[in-house]
Amino acid sequence: MRRADFPLLARHPDLHYLDSAATAQKPAVVLDVERTFYETSYANPHRGAYDLSTRATECYQEARQVVGRFFGVDDPRRLIFTRGTTESLNLVAAAWGRSHVRAGDEIVVTRLEHHADFVPWQQLAIERRAAFRIAELTPAGELDLDHLRSLITPRTRVVAVAHVSNAIGTILPVAEVAALAHAVGAVVVVDGAQSAPHLAVDVDALGADFFAFSGHKMGGPMGIGGLIGRRALLEEMPPYQTGGDMIEVVGDDRTSWNVLPHKLEAGTPNVAGAVGLAAACTYLTQIGMSAVRAHERRLTTLASDRLAAIPGVRVYGPPAGGRSGVVSFTVAGLHAHDLATILDQRQVCIRAGHHCAQPLLRSMGVPATARASFFVYNDEGDVEALVAGVLAAQEIFGAPADDPPASAAGAAVEHG
Ligand code: PMP
């Protein structure tokens, strides 16, 4: 669709990059604006009284506007720049969580959370002596809404859900989850790491009280991401970190905090990263998120169907239409890491392992899956290279095709 826009891919015409769920390649526009920022407007923002510093400050503010609007948010004070999803979720768990979750309260997550949206809540629950509850999946790999409903009580303070699973691609019904959580006054935290790059996201329409995302998965730079929050929640939160920029007055005994968003952004910010992320948002907007989704849906369906038709291959997660651009699969008799090695020799880059979702893979009864994931630069040729590589690996390893093939619609998740 857009391969020519990506310098690394243009430089390596035979590379089949199928690991965008881990990180996405960068379009030239992102690299260009970062360089331009360093060459024309670089200084520490907020601190200097000189023109160059003002220019850097303006670049940072403009980036905040653009990125906020990408998620349907007009008030830039609601966007806190962070290093990425992991930091955003830790920020919420530490700053909001510690000041709102008490002994006997309840925290609800789902079985398919990435460790970044599982462990901070699990640890908060241990620390606050709160209950930690896990909403299970249906056999088809979708969120079991009835089970979730049974876990939500008047003591529930937080419901933390992924918008899209990085491990099996499931798209979760976040608006329905939010309605259930809000009915008992709980706060909804959405891990948007895998939806921000692939689906049109309107944070408020989703019902997310907090929404976390990573720039590097969207074609933006590494080391920048964000947390969008409801204004009232951000206002009442204590700071996450303390230091420069986030203070108002520092007395010998007491300190008062700066206004949003600065209160939650201690220290020198990643301005070049923010500028690059804004360019990535503009790039995706120009393509159109519905076109991005349609393109990835087509490739995901094609890859799922082609792989599932190979004897011994099992594809996990819901049918491809209910999945984002992720195809997670196993090949009977072949370890996912061995498969990834063979594919690498054929210049096909996939991920193999537990995808930082051990609670999910445990419930699926598999130690690892192979995962191919798509973005705007992939095409049918990448799918063909993947399929050819799997067939070649089966031949090399003499893998027995004794596992029944998954249905063309995608096999059910197995629960161990
Ligand atoms: N959540 C999900 C669903 C993810 O896929 C990832 C990245 N694999 C993260 C959180 C963590 O993102 P980051 O490493 O960019 O902080």
Side-chain angles (χ1 to χ4, degrees), residues 178-213:
L180 293 173
H182 289 155
V184 298
V187 157
V188 177
V189 180
V190 178
D191 173 349
Q194 296 294 343
S195 62
H198 307 293
L199 304 177
V201 173
D202 182 318
V203 168
D204 292 331
L206 268 185
D209 297 303
F210 292 106
F211 183 91
F213 60 96

CSV table of all heavy atoms in Angstrom, one decimal, residues 178-213:
chain,number,residue,atom,x,y,z
A,178,ALA,N,-16.9,-0.3,29.2
A,178,ALA,CA,-17.0,1.0,29.9
A,178,ALA,C,-18.4,1.2,30.6
A,178,ALA,O,-18.5,1.7,31.7
A,178,ALA,CB,-16.6,2.2,29.0
A,179,ALA,N,-19.4,0.9,29.8
A,179,ALA,CA,-20.8,1.1,30.4
A,179,ALA,C,-20.9,0.3,31.6
A,179,ALA,O,-21.5,0.7,32.6
A,179,ALA,CB,-21.8,0.7,29.3
A,180,LEU,N,-20.5,-1.0,31.6
A,180,LEU,CA,-20.6,-1.8,32.8
A,180,LEU,C,-19.8,-1.2,34.0
A,180,LEU,O,-20.3,-1.2,35.1
A,180,LEU,CB,-20.0,-3.2,32.5
A,180,LEU,CG,-20.8,-4.1,31.5
A,180,LEU,CD1,-20.0,-5.4,31.3
A,180,LEU,CD2,-22.2,-4.4,32.1
A,181,ALA,N,-18.6,-0.7,33.7
A,181,ALA,CA,-17.7,-0.2,34.8
A,181,ALA,C,-18.3,1.1,35.3
A,181,ALA,O,-18.3,1.3,36.5
A,181,ALA,CB,-16.3,0.0,34.2
A,182,HIS,N,-18.8,2.0,34.4
A,182,HIS,CA,-19.3,3.3,34.8
A,182,HIS,C,-20.5,3.1,35.7
A,182,HIS,O,-20.8,3.9,36.5
A,182,HIS,CB,-19.5,4.2,33.6
A,182,HIS,CG,-18.2,4.6,33.0
A,182,HIS,ND1,-18.1,5.0,31.7
A,182,HIS,CD2,-16.9,4.8,33.6
A,182,HIS,CE1,-16.8,5.4,31.5
A,182,HIS,NE2,-16.1,5.2,32.6
A,183,ALA,N,-21.3,2.0,35.4
A,183,ALA,CA,-22.5,1.8,36.2
A,183,ALA,C,-22.2,1.7,37.7
A,183,ALA,O,-23.1,2.0,38.5
A,183,ALA,CB,-23.3,0.6,35.6
A,184,VAL,N,-21.0,1.2,38.0
A,184,VAL,CA,-20.7,1.1,39.4
A,184,VAL,C,-19.7,2.2,39.9
A,184,VAL,O,-19.1,2.1,40.9
A,184,VAL,CB,-20.1,-0.3,39.8
A,184,VAL,CG1,-21.2,-1.4,39.5
A,184,VAL,CG2,-18.8,-0.6,39.0
A,185,GLY,N,-19.4,3.1,39.0
A,185,GLY,CA,-18.5,4.3,39.3
A,185,GLY,C,-17.1,3.9,39.2
A,185,GLY,O,-16.2,4.6,39.7
A,186,ALA,N,-16.7,2.8,38.5
A,186,ALA,CA,-15.3,2.4,38.3
A,186,ALA,C,-14.7,3.2,37.2
A,186,ALA,O,-15.4,3.7,36.3
A,186,ALA,CB,-15.2,0.9,38.1
A,187,VAL,N,-13.4,3.3,37.2
A,187,VAL,CA,-12.7,4.1,36.2
A,187,VAL,C,-12.2,3.0,35.2
A,187,VAL,O,-11.7,1.9,35.5
A,187,VAL,CB,-11.5,4.8,36.9
A,187,VAL,CG1,-10.4,5.1,35.9
A,187,VAL,CG2,-12.0,6.1,37.5
A,188,VAL,N,-12.3,3.4,33.9
A,188,VAL,CA,-11.9,2.5,32.8
A,188,VAL,C,-10.6,2.9,32.2
A,188,VAL,O,-10.4,4.1,31.7
A,188,VAL,CB,-13.0,2.6,31.7
A,188,VAL,CG1,-12.6,1.7,30.5
A,188,VAL,CG2,-14.3,2.1,32.3
A,189,VAL,N,-9.6,2.0,32.3
A,189,VAL,CA,-8.3,2.3,31.8
A,189,VAL,C,-8.1,1.4,30.5
A,189,VAL,O,-8.3,0.2,30.6
A,189,VAL,CB,-7.2,1.9,32.8
A,189,VAL,CG1,-5.8,2.2,32.2
A,189,VAL,CG2,-7.4,2.7,34.1
A,190,VAL,N,-7.8,2.1,29.4
A,190,VAL,CA,-7.7,1.3,28.1
A,190,VAL,C,-6.2,1.3,27.7
A,190,VAL,O,-5.6,2.4,27.5
A,190,VAL,CB,-8.6,1.9,27.1
A,190,VAL,CG1,-8.5,1.2,25.7
A,190,VAL,CG2,-10.1,1.9,27.5
A,191,ASP,N,-5.7,0.1,27.4
A,191,ASP,CA,-4.4,-0.1,26.8
A,191,ASP,C,-4.6,0.0,25.3
A,191,ASP,O,-5.1,-1.0,24.7
A,191,ASP,CB,-3.8,-1.4,27.3
A,191,ASP,CG,-2.5,-1.7,26.5
A,191,ASP,OD1,-2.2,-1.0,25.5
A,191,ASP,OD2,-1.9,-2.7,26.9
A,192,GLY,N,-4.3,1.1,24.7
A,192,GLY,CA,-4.5,1.4,23.3
A,192,GLY,C,-3.3,1.1,22.4
A,192,GLY,O,-3.3,1.5,21.3
A,193,ALA,N,-2.3,0.4,23.0
A,193,ALA,CA,-1.0,0.2,22.2
A,193,ALA,C,-1.3,-0.4,20.9
A,193,ALA,O,-0.6,0.0,19.9
A,193,ALA,CB,-0.1,-0.6,23.0
A,194,GLN,N,-2.2,-1.3,20.8
A,194,GLN,CA,-2.4,-2.0,19.5
A,194,GLN,C,-3.6,-1.5,18.7
A,194,GLN,O,-3.9,-2.0,17.6
A,194,GLN,CB,-2.6,-3.5,19.8
A,194,GLN,CG,-1.4,-4.2,20.3
A,194,GLN,CD,-0.2,-4.2,19.4
A,194,GLN,OE1,-0.3,-4.0,18.2
A,194,GLN,NE2,1.0,-4.4,19.9
A,195,SER,N,-4.4,-0.6,19.3
A,195,SER,CA,-5.5,0.0,18.5
A,195,SER,C,-5.1,1.3,17.9
A,195,SER,O,-5.5,1.6,16.7
A,195,SER,CB,-6.8,0.2,19.4
A,195,SER,OG,-6.5,1.1,20.4
A,196,ALA,N,-4.3,2.1,18.6
A,196,ALA,CA,-4.0,3.4,18.1
A,196,ALA,C,-3.4,3.4,16.7
A,196,ALA,O,-3.8,4.3,15.8
A,196,ALA,CB,-3.0,4.1,19.0
A,197,PRO,N,-2.6,2.4,16.3
A,197,PRO,CA,-2.0,2.4,14.9
A,197,PRO,C,-3.0,1.9,13.9
A,197,PRO,O,-2.7,2.1,12.7
A,197,PRO,CB,-0.8,1.5,15.0
A,197,PRO,CG,-0.6,1.2,16.5
A,197,PRO,CD,-1.9,1.4,17.1
A,198,HIS,N,-4.0,1.2,14.3
A,198,HIS,CA,-4.8,0.4,13.4
A,198,HIS,C,-6.3,0.7,13.2
A,198,HIS,O,-6.9,0.3,12.3
A,198,HIS,CB,-4.6,-1.1,13.7
A,198,HIS,CG,-3.2,-1.5,13.8
A,198,HIS,ND1,-2.3,-1.6,12.8
A,198,HIS,CD2,-2.4,-1.9,14.9
A,198,HIS,CE1,-1.1,-1.9,13.2
A,198,HIS,NE2,-1.2,-2.1,14.5
A,199,LEU,N,-6.8,1.3,14.2
A,199,LEU,CA,-8.3,1.6,14.2
A,199,LEU,C,-8.5,3.1,14.5
A,199,LEU,O,-7.7,3.8,15.1
A,199,LEU,CB,-9.0,0.9,15.4
A,199,LEU,CG,-8.8,-0.6,15.5
A,199,LEU,CD1,-9.5,-1.2,16.7
A,199,LEU,CD2,-9.4,-1.3,14.3
A,200,ALA,N,-9.6,3.6,14.0
A,200,ALA,CA,-10.0,5.0,14.3
A,200,ALA,C,-10.3,5.0,15.8
A,200,ALA,O,-11.2,4.2,16.2
A,200,ALA,CB,-11.1,5.5,13.4
A,201,VAL,N,-9.7,5.9,16.5
A,201,VAL,CA,-10.0,5.9,18.0
A,201,VAL,C,-10.5,7.3,18.4
A,201,VAL,O,-9.8,8.3,18.2
A,201,VAL,CB,-8.7,5.6,18.8
A,201,VAL,CG1,-9.0,5.7,20.3
A,201,VAL,CG2,-8.2,4.1,18.5
A,202,ASP,N,-11.7,7.3,19.0
A,202,ASP,CA,-12.2,8.5,19.7
A,202,ASP,C,-12.3,8.1,21.1
A,202,ASP,O,-13.2,7.3,21.5
A,202,ASP,CB,-13.5,8.9,19.1
A,202,ASP,CG,-14.1,10.1,19.7
A,202,ASP,OD1,-14.0,10.3,20.9
A,202,ASP,OD2,-14.6,11.0,19.0
A,203,VAL,N,-11.3,8.6,21.9
A,203,VAL,CA,-11.2,8.2,23.3
A,203,VAL,C,-12.5,8.4,24.1
A,203,VAL,O,-12.9,7.5,24.9
A,203,VAL,CB,-10.0,9.0,23.9
A,203,VAL,CG1,-10.0,8.8,25.4
A,203,VAL,CG2,-8.7,8.5,23.4
A,204,ASP,N,-13.2,9.5,23.9
A,204,ASP,CA,-14.4,9.8,24.7
A,204,ASP,C,-15.5,8.9,24.2
A,204,ASP,O,-16.3,8.4,25.0
A,204,ASP,CB,-14.7,11.3,24.6
A,204,ASP,CG,-13.7,12.1,25.3
A,204,ASP,OD1,-13.1,11.6,26.3
A,204,ASP,OD2,-13.5,13.3,24.9
A,205,ALA,N,-15.6,8.7,22.9
A,205,ALA,CA,-16.7,7.8,22.4
A,205,ALA,C,-16.5,6.4,22.9
A,205,ALA,O,-17.5,5.7,23.1
A,205,ALA,CB,-16.7,7.8,20.9
A,206,LEU,N,-15.3,6.0,23.1
A,206,LEU,CA,-15.0,4.7,23.7
A,206,LEU,C,-15.4,4.5,25.1
A,206,LEU,O,-15.6,3.4,25.6
A,206,LEU,CB,-13.5,4.4,23.6
A,206,LEU,CG,-12.8,3.7,22.4
A,206,LEU,CD1,-11.4,3.5,22.7
A,206,LEU,CD2,-13.5,2.4,22.1
A,207,GLY,N,-15.5,5.7,25.8
A,207,GLY,CA,-15.8,5.6,27.2
A,207,GLY,C,-14.5,5.4,28.1
A,207,GLY,O,-14.6,5.1,29.3
A,208,ALA,N,-13.4,5.6,27.5
A,208,ALA,CA,-12.1,5.4,28.2
A,208,ALA,C,-11.9,6.6,29.2
A,208,ALA,O,-11.9,7.8,28.7
A,208,ALA,CB,-10.9,5.3,27.3
A,209,ASP,N,-11.6,6.4,30.4
A,209,ASP,CA,-11.3,7.5,31.4
A,209,ASP,C,-9.8,7.8,31.2
A,209,ASP,O,-9.4,8.9,31.4
A,209,ASP,CB,-11.6,7.1,32.8
A,209,ASP,CG,-13.1,6.9,33.0
A,209,ASP,OD1,-13.9,7.8,32.7
A,209,ASP,OD2,-13.5,5.8,33.3
A,210,PHE,N,-9.0,6.7,30.9
A,210,PHE,CA,-7.6,6.8,30.6
A,210,PHE,C,-7.3,6.0,29.4
A,210,PHE,O,-7.8,4.8,29.3
A,210,PHE,CB,-6.7,6.4,31.8
A,210,PHE,CG,-6.8,7.2,33.0
A,210,PHE,CD1,-7.4,6.8,34.1
A,210,PHE,CD2,-6.1,8.4,33.0
A,210,PHE,CE1,-7.5,7.5,35.3
A,210,PHE,CE2,-6.1,9.2,34.2
A,210,PHE,CZ,-6.8,8.8,35.3
A,211,PHE,N,-6.5,6.5,28.5
A,211,PHE,CA,-6.2,5.8,27.2
A,211,PHE,C,-4.7,5.9,27.0
A,211,PHE,O,-4.1,7.0,26.9
A,211,PHE,CB,-6.9,6.3,26.1
A,211,PHE,CG,-6.7,5.6,24.8
A,211,PHE,CD1,-7.6,4.5,24.4
A,211,PHE,CD2,-5.7,6.0,23.9
A,211,PHE,CE1,-7.4,3.9,23.2
A,211,PHE,CE2,-5.5,5.3,22.7
A,211,PHE,CZ,-6.3,4.2,22.4
A,212,ALA,N,-4.0,4.8,27.0
A,212,ALA,CA,-2.5,4.7,26.9
A,212,ALA,C,-2.1,4.3,25.5
A,212,ALA,O,-2.7,3.3,24.9
A,212,ALA,CB,-1.9,3.8,27.9
A,213,PHE,N,-1.0,4.8,24.9
A,213,PHE,CA,-0.6,4.4,23.6
A,213,PHE,C,0.9,4.7,23.4
A,213,PHE,O,1.5,5.5,24.2
A,213,PHE,CB,-1.4,5.1,22.5
A,213,PHE,CG,-1.2,6.6,22.5
A,213,PHE,CD1,-0.3,7.3,21.7
A,213,PHE,CD2,-2.0,7.4,23.4
A,213,PHE,CE1,-0.1,8.7,21.8
A,213,PHE,CE2,-1.9,8.8,23.4
A,213,PHE,CZ,-0.9,9.4,22.6
